[in-house]
Amino acid sequence: MVSNTQSISQPAATSYGEGSIRVLKGLEPVKQRPGMYTRTDNPLHIIQEVIDNAADEALAGFGKKIKVTLHADGSVSVEDDGRGIPFGLHPEEQAPVVELVFTRLHAGGKFDKGQGGAYSFSGGLHGVGVSVTNALSTRLEVVSHREGKRAAIVFAGGDVTEPLVVRALEAGERKQGTTVRAYPDGKYFESSQYPMHELRHLLRSKAVLMPGVSVTLTDEKSRDTQTWQYKGGLRDYLMQELASDPVIPVFEGSGFAGKKDDNFAEGEGAAWCVAFTEDGANVRESYVNLIPTTAGGTHDSGLRDGLFQAVKSFIELHSLLPKGVKLMPEDVFARASYVLSAKVLDPQFQGQIKERLNSRDAVRLVSSYVKPALELWLNEHVEWGKKLAELAIKAAQTRQRAGQKVEKRKGSGVAVLPGKLTDCESRDIALNEVFLVEGDSAGGSAKMGRDKETQAVLPLRGKVLNTWEVDRDRLFANNEIHDISVAIGVDPHGPQDEPDLSGLRYGKICILSDADVDGSHIQVLLLTLFFRHFPKLIEAGHIHVARPPLFRLNAPARGKKPASKQYALDERELAAMIDKLRKDGVREGAWSVSRFKGLGEMNAEQLWETTLNPDTRRLMPVQLGAMDALQTTSLMTQLMGKGEASARRELMELHGDSVEVDV
């Protein structure tokens, strides 16, 4: 404490003035924090950015060949026969366009959507792609063949080292296309080795998604060359990957919006191929604008929803459902293998490496094409439809039997559930979730907006007791804590105990509080309760925190995009959304922003769409981070202990200036 006071009384040591603010220019932010822009375990992702650009040319209808070469010196070159990157002077920046593309974070041909832009649909979307490749390479060479000329430029660490040289094409030289050769800088990556399985899978998937385009990989060290070209597209690929034969013929189709579509932009939609098998591992691959979304996302949810709704309506039409059986989406989806390729005009991804699609509209987009197509197919092939219905009903019966076993084990002497708990209908803890909601008004919206089948709501009045130093025997003196324990069906316990979790009533216990300071406090008090007195629930992955948005942005129609409502978690996300609107050419101030003061302000529909709907919400699992249980306990004691005021003051003095508090 003394040393800290001394440092505060010496302003010269920690002077903070105009000169303290450092502005990172150009590609400096990428070099400072590469992990924010790309994966740093190996250089594959920065090479993928170059491959994606070549694929975008083929997707736009230019170019039929992509060649990737792993050179013996560790560099990688990507060659395409597209239009070639433009190398004339940019009208505003007065610098060669090819230079801007590789040296500016937000420069590219993919921002002008639906306004005669170079690309209507593309995977490269954030405008940081190949400039990140450049920033993290010791050398990067670009050669562009275009309009009868050849242009070459060389970079190192993101800076131009050999300026642009343009000359006329010689006899026999190729007419058009781009070649990029990158030398990844080892200091930014944990390993300089490329994961070959991942790279081959990436290149093969590009060939699958672009029938007729040939993709070649050459490894100079092993002298091995592979070429992929699929004339049959998704079906050929899926049939090769399946572990067992489908029980019904493969269901494939596609649907894309036309010019007169009121809901979606022209060209948006999806192509899919789905196979149902009785055993073996499922094959599930999805893509957005040719980018592999390994963590799935809202387009996968749209496929699941479309399949479920179609099968459900077929079962109802033919009265196939046995009495007492309730069909859930997972019952239909459990044995489905699929390849899904979605086209989304303005996709929002989770994170810069685009592993998961977050665009809320994609659920409706994919579902609206899959559902009618499958309904039609099932009713044209009733026998196959009945076979699929049988598969789904069997899965539902297995699930319900498993749930009933748990019910019997805990049936005797169960406590009376709290009166303010609005329970769900299902008894399957794999699907059930309970929301601990701050306040009665938010609880009311949550009760109206929830899925009654699987979602329960327990409103909490006021702030929960700080239980860090409360004895376990005294916990139930507090009504709120008593109600939480009885509702979830597990008794308080310690880290060394072996509690009986067979009575657990919900697979997910979700803390749902306002996105303000009071809400954060309630969240911390509940996390304290679970960490101190229900640690096995955290260990087993049952505790989650729901993240409601703070802002709603009403965006006007722009180009092909209809007017839309977007939700932002915080000011940073809101700023990014507004920035995107400006890039789309929306007039300043044509959008409107409203701020939610709390959950109680949201109506049931908004709360469902942003916070409760499993397809579009953001739900964070609670788990131990970089610190182990002992270190976490020590820090929690510092934060929540009654006799720790001086330690908390020290923390605030150390970190107070780096926290922005929205009071």
Side-chain angles (χ1 to χ4, degrees):
M1 196 54 207
V2 177
S3 62
N4 205 39
T5 312
Q6 284 174 344
S7 67
I8 289 169
S9 63
Q10 295 172 352
T14 55
S15 59
Y16 178 57
E18 288 78 359
S20 308
I21 303 299
R22 185 175 167 206
V23 180
L24 295 175
K25 294 178 181 173
L27 298 177
E28 281 184 75
V30 184
K31 296 180 190 178
Q32 287 275 337
R33 297 281 184 275
M36 284 176 65
Y37 298 88
T38 187
R39 272 171 41 190
T40 53
D41 46 348
N42 61 64
L44 176 62
H45 187 256
I46 66 166
I47 300 305
Q48 186 181 328
E49 292 286 1
V50 186
I51 296 167
D52 287 346
N53 282 1
D56 285 338
E57 273 294 279
L59 182 64
F62 306 93
K64 286 288 181 185
K65 292 178 184 175
I66 298 170
K67 293 180 182 175
V68 179
T69 306
L70 301 178
H71 297 285
D73 59 7
S75 65
V76 178
S77 61
V78 180
E79 182 185 323
D80 67 60
D81 59 346
R83 289 166 290 186
I85 298 175
F87 41 78
L89 286 183
H90 190 275
E92 291 165 19
E93 300 290 335
Q94 291 302 304
V97 170
V98 65
E99 183 182 322
L100 296 175
V101 166
F102 283 88
T103 58
R104 300 280 178 93
L105 275 176
H106 298 284
K110 298 168 190 175
F111 293 113
D112 298 328
K113 307 275 184 182
Q115 300 167 15
Y119 301 89
S120 279
F121 296 93
S122 66
L125 206 274
H126 297 68
V128 300
V130 284
S131 52
V132 171
T133 309
N134 193 10
L136 305 181
S137 297
T138 54
R139 180 180 173 87
L140 187 135
E141 304 162 0
V142 183
V143 178
S144 174
H145 296 83
R146 179 186 174 91
E147 295 167 356
K149 293 177 183 173
R150 176 192 187 273
I153 188 169
V154 180
F155 307 88
D159 301 317
V160 179
T161 52
E162 295 177 29
L164 186 71
V165 176
V166 182
R167 63 166 172 77
L169 288 177
E170 294 171 2
E173 269 194 292
R174 64 191 174 116
K175 297 272 192 307
Q176 59 180 45
T178 305
T179 303
V180 177
R181 184 168 178 173
Y183 298 72
D185 191 337
K187 71 180 180 187
Y188 295 111
F189 304 98
E190 292 161 30
S191 165
S192 58
Q193 296 299 310
Y194 296 95
M196 293 305 291
H197 175 72
E198 225 176 301
L199 176 59
R200 286 192 188 99
H201 182 269
L202 171 73
L203 295 176
R204 186 173 60 167
S205 66
K206 297 290 186 200
V208 170
L209 299 171
M210 298 184 293
V213 174
S214 79
V215 182
T216 302
L217 172 65
T218 302
D219 186 342
E220 283 187 350
K221 282 183 185 172
S222 64
R223 296 183 181 176
D224 182 36
T225 297
Q226 277 178 286
T227 299
W228 296 275
Q229 188 173 25
Y230 292 86
K231 296 277 188 336
L234 306 185
R235 173 190 276 266
D236 281 4
Y237 180 55
L238 183 60
M239 291 305 288
Q240 284 178 26
E241 296 294 306
L242 285 178
S244 60
D245 292 334
V247 293
I248 63 170
V250 168
F251 165 59
E252 63 178 328
S254 61
F256 298 95
K259 278 187 180 176
K260 294 180 181 175
D261 195 300
D262 294 332
N263 297 311
F264 303 107
E266 185 188 349
E268 283 193 308
W272 62 85
C273 189
V274 185
F276 293 94
T277 55
E278 280 189 298
D279 45 44
N282 287 326
V283 177
R284 292 182 174 178
E285 294 186 20
S286 61
Y287 303 83
V288 175
N289 303 350
L290 303 198
I291 297 290
T293 41
T294 49
T298 47
H299 53 325
D300 289 61
S301 300
L303 179 68
R304 185 182 65 185
D305 183 63
L307 293 176
F308 171 64
Q309 296 297 342
V311 173
K312 185 184 175 193
S313 69
F314 177 82
I315 287 173
E316 286 170 357
L317 180 68
H318 294 272
S319 305
L320 298 173
L321 198 65
K323 196 175 179 184
V325 175
K326 194 139 193 175
L327 202 66
M328 302 291 290
E330 199 45 51
D331 302 328
V332 176
F333 209 55
R335 295 306 317 153
S337 290
Y338 64 85
V339 183
L340 170 67
S341 176
K343 277 190 178 182
V344 180
L345 188 68
D346 196 8
Q348 293 174 6
F349 291 98
Q350 183 174 304
Q352 170 56 26
I353 61 172
K354 306 169 191 158
E355 285 182 315
R356 179 180 171 81
L357 182 70
N358 265 355
S359 306
R360 294 182 200 279
D361 288 345
V363 180
R364 203 161 42 91
L365 172 72
V366 177
S367 179
S368 68
Y369 290 116
V370 171
K371 178 178 179 277
L374 183 56
E375 276 181 340
L376 182 65
W377 190 88
L378 291 172
N379 287 307
E380 284 176 348
H381 307 86
V382 175
E383 284 311 306
W384 293 124
K386 287 181 177 176
K387 182 78 177 166
L388 177 56
E390 190 186 305
L391 203 65
I393 291 165
K394 189 175 159 189
Q397 288 169 328
T398 306
R399 172 179 55 76
Q400 284 181 312
R401 275 198 301 273
Q404 283 161 358
K405 282 177 196 167
V406 174
E407 194 62 35
K408 279 175 191 160
R409 260 204 322 270
K410 65 182 183 185
S412 56
V414 70
V416 178
L417 293 173
K420 59 187 178 178
L421 172 73
T422 304
D423 207 0
C424 55
E425 294 169 13
S426 166
R427 289 288 165 267
D428 181 359
I429 71 157
L431 300 171
N432 289 1
E433 39 195 47
V434 63
F435 287 85
L436 308 179
V437 184
E438 169 194 350
D440 286 338
S441 58
S445 291
K447 284 173 195 174
M448 288 167 63
R450 73 197 170 108
D451 174 359
K452 292 178 183 174
E453 176 66 31
T454 58
Q455 293 180 328
V457 175
L458 180 64
L460 304 173
R461 291 187 185 89
K463 292 197 174 167
V464 184
L465 179 73
N466 177 1
T467 56
W468 190 249
E469 291 173 358
V470 175
D471 288 340
R472 203 153 296 136
D473 301 341
R474 298 288 306 147
L475 275 179
F476 283 173
N478 181 278
N479 285 336
E480 301 293 311
I481 292 165
H482 172 269
D483 288 353
I484 290 170
S485 179
V486 172
I488 63 180
V490 175
D491 290 332
H493 53 268
Q496 305 306 320
D497 298 342
E498 292 294 334
D500 179 14
L501 297 186
S502 66
L504 182 67
R505 303 183 67 250
Y506 308 98
K508 286 191 176 79
I509 298 154
C510 311
I511 299 167
L512 176 53
S513 60
D514 291 346
D516 60 8
V517 172
D518 277 343
S520 298
H521 189 203
I522 288 167
Q523 196 183 103
V524 168
L525 290 167
L526 284 168
L527 287 172
T528 301
L529 169 69
F530 288 120
F531 181 67
R532 191 62 152 181
H533 299 291
F534 297 89
K536 296 296 178 187
L537 292 180
I538 290 180
E539 204 175 290
H542 293 298
I543 309 296
H544 294 72
V545 173
R547 299 203 59 195
L550 201 52
F551 300 100
R552 185 180 70 206
L553 174 69
N554 294 324
R558 55 210 187 277
K560 293 181 184 177
K561 273 298 228 187
S564 62
K565 286 178 184 166
Q566 300 172 22
Y567 297 93
L569 282 184
D570 49 31
E571 288 182 353
R572 185 175 60 83
E573 248 188 37
L574 179 68
M577 285 177 179
I578 291 173
D579 193 35
K580 193 168 277 186
L581 288 181
R582 289 191 182 113
K583 288 194 176 85
D584 284 348
V586 178
R587 180 175 48 80
E588 195 73 30
W591 55 82
S592 64
V593 177
S594 52
R595 179 189 168 110
F596 296 111
K597 286 179 185 159
L599 295 167
E601 269 194 7
M602 286 189 193
N603 60 36
E605 190 184 344
Q606 287 171 333
L607 198 59
W608 165 253
E609 189 183 345
T610 61
T611 319
L612 300 176
N613 183 350
D615 294 335
T616 54
R617 70 189 178 190
R618 306 213 193 164
L619 199 62
M620 295 169 60
V622 175
Q623 53 201 34
L624 290 176
M627 296 191 290
D628 60 21
L630 207 63
Q631 291 170 309
T632 307
T633 303
S634 167
L635 184 60
M636 290 288 279
T637 303
Q638 207 174 3
L639 294 169
M640 306 305 290
K642 285 177 185 168
E644 297 289 329
S646 60
R648 282 195 285 277
R649 181 184 165 180
E650 192 174 332
L651 269 177
M652 285 188 271
E653 285 173 343
L654 273 171
H655 303 293
D657 60 345
S658 64
V659 177
E660 287 183 29
V661 181
D662 182 11
V663 183

